[in-house]
Amino acid sequence: MRKIKSSEITPEHLYLSRRRFLISAGALVASTMLFGACRPGSPETPDLQPPSPGTDELGDKITPYKDITHYNNFYEFSLQKEDVADLAKNFKTSPWTVTVGGLVRQPQTFDIDDLRRRFPAEERIYRLRCVEAWSMVIPWEGFPLAKLLEMVEPKAEAKYVRFESLYDPKQMPMRDIPFEWPYVEGLRLDEARHNLTLLATGIYGKSLLPQNGAPLRLVVPWKYGYKSIKSIVKIDLVAEMPLSFWVKQSAEEYGFYANINPEVPHPRWSQASERRIGEAKRRATLLFNSYDKEVTNLYQGMDLSNFF
Ligand SMILES: Nc1nc2c(c(=O)[nH]1)N[C@H]1C(S)=C(S)[C@@H](COP(=O)(O)O)O[C@H]1N2
Ligand SMILES: [Mo]
């Protein structure tokens, strides 16, 4: 496999400047049509009101629905965040099953509708911090992953959880890029069982749209966004640390733990601050995305200064 150049992956300013180039090169009409098709108020993106009180527990404003649904990392569809919504709009999310197996006593394949009936959705307002140093505040709906794990009864040998996204080249146009699909992620079992770890089914009180990982995606708010794997079809309990998608592409740049830490820079940029979508000024990045009280005990005795 050709190792993909890091410039093809990140940082986003390269794409932004490429977009500007395309526009100045004469693609203005096409891009105007694209933005026209997804302006707020169009049927695809209703101008939804954020749930009250409109902020997270730190008082940070909930990000507008239009931004959450039109600025997306979902590489199976595109490297261009602004294009994912359109390219994914016909993605088929029903029927959908999730197979849970590996080192468990009760392996099972769940139908997504059955899962949603079994585990009524609760609302969780979480900050999402991408490794590229932008962030949002998202009102998710979903249920704790712990509930699903409990049902399948992990065996004593299970130490990690491995997640796999759907990869369907017929529906997902990224087949020319030599990534090793499918997208895979993993958590240590205690991280997976943590109460903050969510399987999300909705945003802003509506079912997830394809671009956000419909019909079921993981959300781990104290870790960089790439851990929050989308459109999950398979979950396995395993004994060894899973090899996740980004570690496979570039192990020097992306780690398994990916805990948010302002003091551990990415090799190509600082993680000390971030751009909150919708804000002009950068803001300081907080250790564990400010979920430190809840999660520090998971990492007792580990060296946080080299924390990949
Ligand atoms: N299957 C899959 N899951 C994925 C990704 C992806 O490309 N493919 N991107 C990740 C990254 S880098 C981020 S920041 C978040 C973005 O989630 P959002 O588009 O819902 O904000 O999804 C994560 N989950
Ligand atoms: Mo990301």
Side-chain angles (χ1 to χ4, degrees):
M1 186 199 79
R2 177 173 77 90
K3 189 171 169 199
I4 190 146
K5 287 208 303 286
S6 30
S7 61
E8 287 175 63
I9 302 172
T10 42
E12 64 183 302
H13 70 254
L14 291 178
Y15 298 110
L16 294 176
S17 58
R18 201 170 115 213
R19 284 188 77 82
R20 275 197 288 275
F21 170 77
L22 286 173
I23 289 170
S24 64
L28 188 60
V29 175
S31 84
T32 307
M33 282 166 59
L34 187 70
F35 287 114
C38 56
R39 68 188 185 279
S42 79
E44 285 165 54
T45 47
D47 203 3
L48 299 176
Q49 283 306 304
S52 97
T55 63
D56 65 14
E57 81 286 5
L58 303 178
D60 291 0
K61 266 214 200 75
I62 290 174
T63 302
Y65 188 65
K66 192 190 163 232
D67 293 330
I68 298 173
T69 55
H70 288 85
Y71 189 80
N72 300 104
N73 274 338
F74 201 164
Y75 278 13
E76 288 87 331
F77 291 95
S78 176
L79 300 178
Q80 312 279 356
K81 297 179 196 353
E82 296 84 353
D83 294 350
V84 173
D86 193 48
L87 289 167
K89 68 171 185 277
N90 296 320
F91 181 57
K92 207 163 173 269
T93 58
S94 170
W96 191 279
T97 58
V98 184
T99 301
V100 190
L103 301 170
V104 299
R105 269 181 225 99
Q106 308 284 346
Q108 269 185 77
T109 294
F110 296 91
D111 180 78
I112 186 68
D113 300 323
D114 178 40
L115 269 185
R116 293 180 74 149
R117 266 193 301 272
R118 231 182 258 244
F119 305 119
E122 40 185 288
E123 182 181 82
R124 301 279 185 99
I125 302 173
Y126 286 159
R127 295 167 290 288
L128 177 86
R129 171 41 161 101
C130 176
V131 73
E132 298 162 332
W134 53 267
S135 62
M136 299 190 186
V137 180
I138 303 183
W140 301 102
E141 289 191 350
F143 55 88
L145 171 62
K147 289 194 180 175
L148 179 61
L149 295 178
E150 209 175 294
M151 280 204 62
V152 296
E153 300 176 26
K155 295 182 179 168
E157 311 90 89
K159 300 287 184 245
Y160 294 89
V161 186
R162 180 186 182 277
F163 305 84
E164 209 174 287
S165 294
L166 179 72
Y167 182 59
D168 177 1
K170 285 201 242 28
Q171 298 193 76
M172 295 163 158
M174 279 289 284
R175 51 188 161 250
D176 298 337
I177 304 285
F179 287 123
E180 280 189 43
W181 307 108
Y183 198 99
V184 170
E185 259 308 339
L187 293 172
R188 229 169 49 192
L189 186 53
D190 57 344
E191 298 176 320
R193 281 179 163 147
H194 194 282
N195 178 50
L196 286 175
T197 304
L198 197 70
L199 281 173
T201 53
I203 290 176
Y204 263 72
K206 281 172 58 94
S207 287
L208 287 178
L209 294 176
Q211 58 265 41
N212 294 109
L216 189 73
R217 64 93 58 84
L218 184 68
V219 184
V220 195
W222 72 94
K223 293 176 180 284
Y224 291 118
Y226 66 85
K227 298 299 288 184
S228 295
I229 180 173
K230 295 178 168 181
S231 304
I232 298 167
V233 288
K234 200 162 173 289
I235 301 177
D236 284 309
L237 283 284
V238 295
E240 306 289 330
M241 181 183 282
L243 182 56
S244 45
F245 179 84
W246 281 109
V247 175
K248 217 184 307 176
Q249 315 308 329
S250 186
E252 322 81 70
E253 296 183 276
Y254 306 100
F256 173 82
Y257 280 98
N259 287 318
I260 295 166
N261 189 339
E263 287 172 16
V264 179
H266 183 277
R268 290 183 282 128
W269 60 86
S270 160
Q271 296 290 19
S273 71
E274 67 198 59
R275 186 170 59 88
R276 179 66 51 84
I277 300 303
E279 290 181 359
K281 258 184 66 198
R282 293 180 76 85
R283 50 162 73 215
T285 289
L286 303 169
L287 181 62
F288 294 119
N289 208 14
S290 203
Y291 299 98
D292 48 327
K293 277 197 202 67
E294 289 94 331
V295 301
T296 337
N297 63 340
L298 292 172
Y299 308 107
Q300 292 296 318
M302 288 182 74
D303 177 9
L304 290 182
S305 69
N306 177 20
F307 210 33
F308 257 50

